[in-house]
Amino acid sequence: MNNAATLVPSDQIIVAYSDGEITAGQISRALFYANSRLLAMRLYVDKSFATAMPGYAENFYTLMQWEMETFVTPFINISFLTRCSATIPKLLHDVIAILVVNKLVDRKPDVNEVLMDIKALPLSVNSATSDEYDIARMSDYFNAWWKENLGSCRVPDMLPKSSVQDVMELVEGHFSELPDHVETDLLPYMLTHGPRAVGNSAEKDDKLFTFK
């Protein structure tokens, strides 16, 4: 059995749908955008005194779930459906691990423990070995909920519904505003393992999955 991994070119179409398509490079950028959002959140929460307020941890957990469902889960699911392994940045990987482990241990996770675990994650923003894609100091992020007083805000009003296409537009805007020194052409490609998984398309269409 051949389990060798093959690099997927960044322009490889992974998903095609009625209104467009998503390439491997776009999925890679989407996950690094999600990582950038989490880093911005982590840096802000680290200095916030509001985290000790009653109700903060519960609202933080709810918004973290929204963050994952909006900016992370769709792209990981697409990778899974096409038998691809997407490169996940370290902070994003660590946050996913915290959320998954706490959910596995208890169907009703300890939200205070989740908050403390995320606050305890190490940061390398200012180190010499910092990932150059850890761009957290962008001036604006869509629905930057971490800047709100989560102890007293109305969370249902902070959970906008966003499609994958909406997210891709945010990702494109984010990368267009990155500082010149960030070499975005070096973003990791995805990896594919074994035979391609094909939906309603044929291999000759040069797509891994097609939705109708």
Side-chain angles (χ1 to χ4, degrees):
M1 182 177 180
N2 184 10
N3 292 321
T6 306
L7 281 174
V8 179
S10 62
D11 60 354
Q12 168 71 55
I13 298 172
I14 302 298
V15 171
Y17 53 98
S18 58
D19 295 328
E21 57 195 31
I22 299 175
T23 65
Q26 287 175 315
I27 291 178
S28 184
R29 286 183 171 220
L31 292 175
F32 274 79
Y33 171 71
N35 188 72
S36 182
R37 288 179 59 88
L38 290 177
L39 187 57
M41 175 276 294
R42 173 68 180 78
L43 288 170
Y44 192 90
V45 169
D46 192 50
K47 299 176 181 178
S48 174
F49 293 103
T51 56
M53 292 181 61
Y56 185 99
E58 288 83 359
N59 289 342
F60 177 86
Y61 183 76
T62 298
L63 287 158
M64 281 300 301
Q65 288 183 303
W66 172 85
E67 190 79 16
M68 294 294 108
E69 291 168 2
T70 302
F71 299 105
V72 180
T73 305
F75 301 100
I76 291 180
N77 285 347
I78 289 171
S79 302
F80 175 78
L81 285 172
T82 55
R83 297 184 185 178
C84 290
S85 176
T87 302
I88 300 178
K90 179 168 174 37
L91 177 61
L92 175 55
H93 178 275
D94 291 344
V95 169
I96 292 173
I98 289 172
L99 295 174
V100 169
V101 168
N102 276 274
K103 198 69 175 285
L104 288 175
V105 172
D106 193 339
R107 291 181 64 86
K108 187 177 181 181
D110 184 332
V111 294
N112 289 291
E113 184 175 340
V114 171
L115 173 59
M116 291 302 102
D117 286 349
I118 290 177
K119 284 189 66 175
L121 289 174
L123 295 175
S124 60
V125 180
N126 298 314
S127 75
T129 59
S130 172
D131 188 330
E132 64 185 337
Y133 301 107
D134 285 347
I135 308 299
R137 305 183 193 281
M138 303 293 286
S139 58
D140 250 339
Y141 279 102
F142 167 74
N143 193 28
W145 52 265
W146 51 86
K147 296 181 180 180
E148 303 297 328
N149 185 349
L150 299 187
S152 59
C153 66
R154 178 176 163 75
V155 171
D157 296 335
M158 303 170 65
L159 305 173
K161 298 295 184 182
S162 300
S163 67
V164 169
Q165 187 59 44
D166 294 333
V167 173
M168 295 310 302
E169 290 175 3
L170 291 172
V171 172
E172 182 178 351
H174 176 78
F175 275 84
S176 70
E177 296 174 3
L178 288 178
D180 292 338
H181 71 273
V182 179
E183 299 179 39
T184 56
D185 59 313
L186 297 179
L187 274 170
Y189 292 168
M190 298 168 64
L191 297 177
T192 181
H193 296 272
R196 291 179 175 179
V198 181
N200 297 323
S201 64
E203 286 279 356
K204 61 184 176 57
D205 293 331
D206 197 32
K207 305 177 184 67
L208 296 188
F209 210 90
T210 299
F211 293 107
K212 293 183 177 180

